[in-house]
Amino acid sequence: MALPATPRTTFGTPVYERALRSIAALPLRDSAPVRLANLDLVRHLAAPGPVLSMLREVIETPPLLHRIAGRSYHHTNHFDKIVLADSGARRCYRLTLHLWRPPYSSAEALDEQIHDHRFSFWSSVLTGRLDSQNFIRDASGTDYGEYQYIPEKRGEATVGNFYRSMGRTPLRETAPSSEEAGGAYRLGFHRIHRVVLPREQMTCTLVLRGPRQKNFASVFSNTAAYDPSVNEMFPPHVLAEKLEALCTEITRTRKAGR
């Protein structure tokens, strides 16, 4: 599902709008061919040429920048969640950037934000390296408080976060995983993991989220206090600064086409 190579022009044309059309046309069913095609698509979009063109379009198109800023925020898991595309429909795909920008405090680095997801997703690392700890439910593991996370949507934006205590759940840690810049992978909605916060290098992933497969995510922690919270959306100038920094880092660390 590669997008034909075309030059970047103005709002409503190449890379961003073409990416939206490709995402809107993706099959909603789950099958091995669909999984492979979606992985190919996210690999293509995340290559330095296409992704830099798409980010420049966003930065240089004020109406588009304002719209994306209005649904993007700093996530409780300590990364910037930049929602490039989201129709708001339950059965749809969504395209986001997950941006980690060190330094982090010692308390943030030790924060036990272990979780699964409401959806499966395909992801490619744009810059840095993504290290994850992985877990399974197992009676021989360590007990954690389990919470159901239920986001509140308003239009295209996730405006609030709500949690319901589900008691105690034992989790056993399994083999860790790591993905370098240029790598791509799929993560099933049922997989339980925790991203290890990068301590030095900016790390960013381009994420193609699949259709929702359940109404809540499970979160596990023995230290966090989960109260209802409100997300503060980025002002456009703040989002522009973040995207400029990301473009600089991709250009500095990635070779064209890789």
Side-chain angles (χ1 to χ4, degrees):
M1 287 200 178
L3 298 173
T6 53
R8 175 172 59 87
T9 59
T10 57
F11 178 54
T13 53
V15 182
Y16 179 82
E17 189 66 27
R18 292 165 67 84
L20 294 192
R21 291 200 297 267
S22 293
I23 292 168
L26 293 176
L28 297 179
R29 67 184 181 278
D30 185 24
S31 68
V34 168
R35 292 180 183 185
L36 290 174
N38 289 356
L39 192 61
D40 285 343
L41 176 60
V42 80
R43 277 198 187 105
H44 174 83
L45 292 174
V51 77
L52 286 171
S53 292
M54 181 162 55
L55 297 179
R56 297 289 350 153
E57 284 185 51
V58 173
I59 294 167
E60 296 168 7
T61 310
L64 183 55
L65 180 68
H66 278 70
R67 183 174 182 183
I68 291 172
R71 61 193 181 204
S72 303
Y73 56 95
H74 190 71
H75 195 278
T76 184
N77 278 358
H78 309 300
F79 63 88
D80 293 332
K81 188 168 189 173
I82 300 168
V83 184
L84 297 173
D86 185 6
S87 72
R90 184 181 188 277
R91 295 288 293 169
C92 73
Y93 287 83
R94 182 171 65 184
L95 190 67
T96 63
L97 295 168
H98 292 182
L99 176 63
W100 291 265
R101 295 181 76 180
Y104 290 102
S105 68
S106 297
E108 288 170 330
L110 294 173
D111 195 12
E112 299 176 8
Q113 298 289 310
I114 302 169
H115 59 279
D116 65 9
H117 296 270
R118 296 177 297 140
F119 41 77
S120 300
F121 65 84
W122 296 259
S123 180
S124 182
V125 181
L126 300 179
T127 187
R129 188 179 80 176
L130 191 72
D131 293 316
S132 298
Q133 296 172 298
N134 300 302
F135 301 83
I136 59 172
R137 297 174 185 265
D138 190 296
S140 68
T142 301
D143 266 2
Y144 290 91
E146 179 176 355
Y147 305 83
Q148 286 186 352
Y149 160 69
I150 304 168
E152 179 189 358
K153 294 279 286 185
R154 187 174 302 155
E156 296 179 329
T158 301
V159 297
N161 309 295
F162 297 88
Y163 300 89
R164 178 190 305 163
S165 177
M166 302 301 292
R168 308 291 295 176
T169 297
L171 298 179
R172 177 169 61 84
E173 188 170 357
T174 60
S177 55
S178 181
E179 200 71 49
E180 301 282 350
Y185 64 96
R186 175 185 180 273
L187 191 74
F189 72 98
H190 61 283
R191 292 277 301 276
I192 301 171
H193 75 149
R194 172 185 181 268
V195 173
V196 179
L197 299 183
R199 302 312 298 268
E200 297 179 359
Q201 187 177 7
M202 176 192 292
T203 296
C204 186
T205 59
L206 182 69
V207 179
L208 176 65
R209 190 207 76 174
R212 193 190 312 164
Q213 292 168 279
K214 60 177 184 172
N215 291 326
F216 61 87
S218 296
V219 180
F220 307 87
S221 177
N222 286 334
T223 59
Y226 289 114
D227 297 316
S229 60
V230 175
N231 296 320
E232 184 176 346
M233 306 304 165
F234 295 136
H237 74 277
V238 171
L239 176 60
E241 183 278 326
K242 294 177 184 295
L243 296 181
E244 289 282 8
L246 175 58
C247 287
T248 298
E249 188 70 3
I250 293 172
T251 302
R252 186 183 73 83
T253 61
R254 301 282 302 279
K255 295 180 180 179
R258 295 187 61 186

